[in-house]
Amino acid sequence: MEVDIIEFKVPTENNKTLFVWDILPEHSEAHIYEAIWNVFSDFGALYIVKVCSNSTLAKPGFYAMVKFYSATQASKAQRATDKTCLFQRSPVKVQISTRVNPAFSFNAKPLSNARCQELANHYLGFNGWSTQILTMKDFSSCSGAGTGMAGLLESDRGGSQELFLKYGCMAKVTFPHYGMSCRGIGVTEEPLDGDERPEQVLRKRGTLQRWARDKAVVNAFEKVILIVLGNGKIAVECRIDPDEILPDGDVEGIIKVNDIPWSEYEAAGDDEDDVSWDFTMHGTD
């Protein structure tokens, strides 16, 4: 039985990329893009589709690149579509990539939050997963970090060398049908020059909190592996680092972030500006 491993990372392997050649110039680039996406998405989740014009030295027309998350699904798509007409009156040539793209490193980058949700929805369905924000912590340099510009001015009068906003977030991704969950951490930071108006500071705070939340969710998804069996069944595994294991009890105010000293967190633990969220997000269509 075939087994395929799907990770929540940007696919970089050659065997997940197809090239479609001999596309006629009888349709617009937008029409070709939509047709290519519709044809190949039937075989599995797609990371990206690109349509490009042939070089000036070649005959008029287009070629396309299709990148799957799954090598098995890319191979099936190649065998089923090669030398077929697909959406035009003459056959196309479909080949698995043999190129080494220097733009990709061996250490694949994590997917964006939106891409993680899209991939989870594709394989697990709307009710197959959920995310929960466990806690949000303010590590900003100003003593009145939660009080807007007044806190910044107070910090500035105290001789602070640098003003910045910094937030850490802990999130949990849960897979209820599999009894699995894992946690992730996200940290965002942005300097302040002290000239911002209160409403500007508030907007920055909201933006940084959203970014920290998204990073925490992405970090949690990075630890998830989907195991797709040949019969269509899916298993979920979570790679847990023993150093990251936290108690399952009350996690309010608990956050472990690599670039924040634990002593700094403990000192900030009693601040009134601690923000704790209980926000759950399910898959979306």
Side-chain angles (χ1 to χ4, degrees):
M1 181 180 295
E2 291 183 334
V3 177
D4 206 3
I5 303 298
I6 307 295
E7 297 183 277
F8 288 80
K9 296 180 180 180
V10 175
T12 60
E13 300 87 345
N14 288 337
N15 60 0
K16 296 180 180 180
T17 302
L18 303 182
F19 282 96
V20 183
W21 307 101
D22 299 335
I23 300 175
L24 300 177
E26 56 188 18
H27 298 292
S28 68
E29 187 172 321
H31 177 87
I32 296 170
Y33 175 91
E34 184 177 0
I36 291 286
W37 187 281
N38 290 338
V39 168
F40 287 94
S41 61
D42 286 343
F43 295 93
L46 303 181
Y47 172 70
I48 195 172
V49 169
K50 287 186 177 181
V51 177
C52 304
S53 300
N54 290 339
S55 68
T56 55
L57 299 179
K59 62 182 179 180
F62 300 90
Y63 69 94
M65 182 190 73
V66 182
K67 186 175 288 292
F68 285 81
Y69 289 100
S70 161
T72 299
Q73 291 168 352
S75 178
K76 288 180 179 179
Q78 188 274 331
R79 293 195 301 269
T81 59
D82 186 33
K83 299 179 181 178
T84 63
C85 293
L86 296 183
F87 53 87
Q88 62 181 29
R89 53 186 169 82
S90 63
V92 297
K93 182 186 298 183
V94 182
Q95 297 176 325
I96 294 178
S97 173
T98 57
R99 300 179 180 180
V100 177
N101 192 333
F104 291 132
S105 62
F106 290 104
N107 296 321
K109 296 180 180 179
L111 296 175
S112 66
N113 186 24
R115 294 273 194 176
C116 287
Q117 295 181 40
E118 179 184 282
L119 190 58
N121 284 341
H122 179 88
Y123 284 103
L124 304 175
F126 178 83
N127 294 318
W129 64 281
S130 66
T131 62
Q132 181 182 11
I133 306 307
L134 299 178
T135 190
M136 179 75 72
K137 189 70 180 180
D138 191 338
F139 292 98
S140 303
S141 63
C142 45
S143 59
T147 61
M149 185 59 69
L152 294 177
L153 295 176
E154 179 183 345
S155 177
D156 191 37
R157 288 195 298 268
S160 174
Q161 297 297 317
E162 182 181 6
L163 296 178
F164 60 88
L165 298 176
K166 187 172 187 177
Y167 288 91
C169 178
M170 176 188 292
K172 180 170 72 172
V173 177
T174 303
F175 305 93
H177 302 316
Y178 302 90
M180 303 289 294
S181 66
C182 57
R183 294 171 179 171
I185 296 295
V187 179
T188 54
E189 179 179 356
E190 185 169 330
L192 294 171
D193 57 22
D195 294 331
E196 289 90 345
R197 296 190 300 273
E199 60 271 20
Q200 292 176 311
V201 176
L202 289 176
R203 281 197 296 269
K204 282 188 177 182
R205 291 187 188 282
T207 299
L208 288 177
Q209 288 178 5
R210 288 193 298 272
W211 288 351
R213 179 195 66 194
D214 288 351
K215 283 187 174 183
V217 171
V218 166
N219 182 244
F221 269 117
E222 281 187 86
K223 303 168 187 176
V224 178
I225 299 175
L226 303 181
I227 303 172
V228 183
L229 304 180
N231 59 7
K233 293 185 177 181
I234 297 175
V236 176
E237 294 291 339
C238 294
R239 297 171 292 193
I240 304 299
D241 186 339
D243 294 336
E244 297 177 355
I245 294 178
L246 296 172
D248 292 329
D250 183 11
V251 296
E252 182 174 347
I254 298 177
I255 187 166
K256 183 177 179 181
V257 185
N258 292 337
D259 65 341
I260 298 177
W262 193 253
S263 59
E264 178 183 338
Y265 176 80
E266 291 178 335
D270 296 330
D271 289 349
E272 295 180 356
D273 298 320
D274 184 17
V275 180
S276 182
W277 291 3
D278 185 9
F279 171 80
T280 302
M281 177 176 63
H282 295 274
T284 55
D285 292 331

